[in-house]
Amino acid sequence: MPSNGARLHIAIQKSGRLSRYSRELLREAGLRIQSGKNDLTARVDNFPIDLMLVRDDDIPTFVADGVCEFGIVGRNVLEEFALGRKEERFDVIAPLGFGHCALKLAAPRGADYDGAQCLAGQRIATSYPRLLGAWLERQGIEARVVRMSGAVELAPRLGIAGFVCDLVSTGSTLEANNLAPVETVLESEAVLVRTRMPIDEAKQRAADNLLKRIDGVLATQGSKYIMMNAPEDALAEITAILPGVEAPSVIPLAGRPGHFALHAVCQETVFWETLHDLKQAGASAILVLPIEKMMQ
Ligand code: PRT
Ligand code: ZN
């Protein structure tokens, strides 16, 4: 299908676990999202971009077929889709840091389970038959995959299957159904995905701009700006303590010869323990600040 119009299309989940975070990410990237006249699209008024608001299951198809140039979808949905297609027609650009969950095999609590061989010949209920089938094949196990579109966790109680393979985040659904996780089939989170269908030049420029901004948002997640004062002889030790920092800025302090201000962007979490270590090494007046935007 040819790409439609001169505007970029980004498919996001209309309503569900990913929709709020998907919109937030795009807003943080500077997109002003208008609520549309219809429910299927939302226009971005400061970029040539339209959002397509759809069910998450439709997002891989839209992106693979080039109806949307970009999409935000769970890796679980994307990989299940990809296993059903001969060729991949999209690229995963970046994990987005939300929608974390795992596709897990679970057994009734108290059941004897001591390894994947226990699944041989068993019935396993799942909404992810391809991912489960591929995992079983990698383990060299033959089992019966029972496809269910929802309420998978009820299968053992209903006598439909002995095991289930379902998404888990907190684990409370499994627990409430007297099930316990036994294997992890896939770790998942929301990802940004891009079509492999050709994009014309004008759209490509908009796409490059969008990606640079999303990169900037992702780069600031977990990053902090840290400032402190320190005597010259402590600078080397302090730099070694700072997480994810190679070359901090070192600025002389007026009126205090031999003392410097040290500024750096930490790409990793700064824990209280790190601050104690910095103080021990000779740092004082330590400040840790959030970073709002960043462009490399
Ligand atoms: O209507 P639409 O088709 O768009 O939405 P949906 O109902 O298919 O999906 P939705 O909104 O439930 O989930 C969208 C995506 O969020 C999934 O594809 C995953 O990538 C991600 N995600 C993250 C989850 C969970 N966490 C999650 N816990 N998706 C589903 N669950 C369900 C799971 O299936 C189980 O029923 O939550 C239950 C388990 O949760 P815990 O916390 O009890 O373990
Ligand atoms: Zn869905």
Side-chain angles (χ1 to χ4, degrees):
M1 195 183 285
S3 50
N4 34 3
R7 298 174 72 81
L8 272 183
H9 295 82
I10 309 175
I12 64 170
Q13 194 186 22
K14 180 174 177 170
S15 66
R17 289 166 197 264
L18 305 183
S19 50
R20 198 182 98 219
Y21 294 107
S22 303
R23 280 167 176 267
E24 264 172 26
L25 172 74
L26 297 174
R27 275 204 198 97
E28 280 174 34
L31 274 59
R32 283 207 304 265
I33 304 167
Q34 293 196 326
S35 38
K37 283 192 208 103
N38 60 49
D39 278 335
L40 185 68
T41 59
R43 204 175 165 86
V44 175
D45 64 15
N46 57 340
F47 275 100
I49 293 175
D50 286 332
L51 305 185
M52 301 273 274
L53 312 173
V54 294
R55 289 201 62 177
D56 65 345
D57 316 75
D58 294 333
I59 294 173
T61 316
F62 284 179
V63 175
D65 293 349
V67 174
C68 292
E69 290 78 10
F70 293 94
I72 295 177
V73 66
R75 199 184 280 284
N76 50 306
V77 171
L78 192 67
E79 296 210 357
E80 179 70 15
F81 168 85
L83 286 171
R85 288 245 180 159
K86 276 198 215 82
E87 72 177 308
E88 265 183 27
R89 290 198 296 182
F90 52 78
D91 292 301
V92 173
I93 305 204
L96 298 175
F98 61 86
H100 287 280
C101 58
L103 184 62
K104 292 196 180 200
L105 270 153
R109 222 155 346 148
D112 281 337
Y113 184 90
D114 55 5
Q117 68 283 354
C118 298
L119 300 165
Q122 299 290 324
R123 292 164 69 87
I124 311 170
T126 190
S127 308
Y128 294 86
R130 297 187 193 117
L131 279 168
L132 174 59
W135 184 86
L136 288 168
E137 205 176 310
R138 287 201 297 280
Q139 307 294 317
I141 286 173
E142 283 196 28
R144 194 63 204 286
V145 176
V146 181
R147 204 203 141 108
M148 287 177 73
S149 56
V152 170
E153 66 280 358
L154 300 181
R157 232 189 299 156
L158 299 174
I160 295 168
F163 295 83
V164 305
C165 176
D166 198 9
L167 295 177
V168 178
S169 52
T170 62
S172 56
T173 304
L174 288 185
E175 215 178 298
N177 287 282
N178 213 22
L179 297 164
V182 291
E183 304 281 356
T184 298
V185 172
L186 180 84
E187 295 282 355
S188 184
E189 69 183 284
V191 294
L192 179 67
V193 61
R194 172 198 191 125
T195 189
R196 280 195 187 163
M197 301 293 267
I199 302 183
D200 70 38
E201 225 173 274
K203 279 191 181 181
Q204 187 59 51
R205 272 197 301 276
D208 290 345
N209 192 355
L210 173 75
L211 291 181
K212 220 179 281 163
R213 283 162 173 249
I214 289 180
D215 259 359
V217 176
L218 297 177
T220 61
Q221 283 176 359
S223 301
K224 292 279 181 273
Y225 195 79
I226 186 163
M227 308 194 285
M228 70 204 75
N229 294 342
E232 187 168 12
D233 57 8
L235 292 178
E237 192 183 342
I238 286 174
T239 305
I241 293 170
L242 286 172
V245 173
E246 276 169 23
S249 307
V250 177
I251 307 146
L253 286 177
R256 291 191 67 194
H259 279 74
F260 293 85
L262 190 143
H263 292 199
V265 173
C266 291
Q267 307 281 6
E268 296 160 26
T269 313
V270 180
F271 295 104
W272 280 107
E273 289 74 11
T274 312
L275 300 194
H276 284 296
D277 293 347
L278 289 168
K279 205 159 167 40
Q280 286 282 309
S284 60
I286 308 169
L287 273 180
V288 181
L289 308 169
I291 297 170
E292 195 183 299
K293 292 190 175 64
M294 190 147 83
M295 193 174 282
Q296 301 285 4

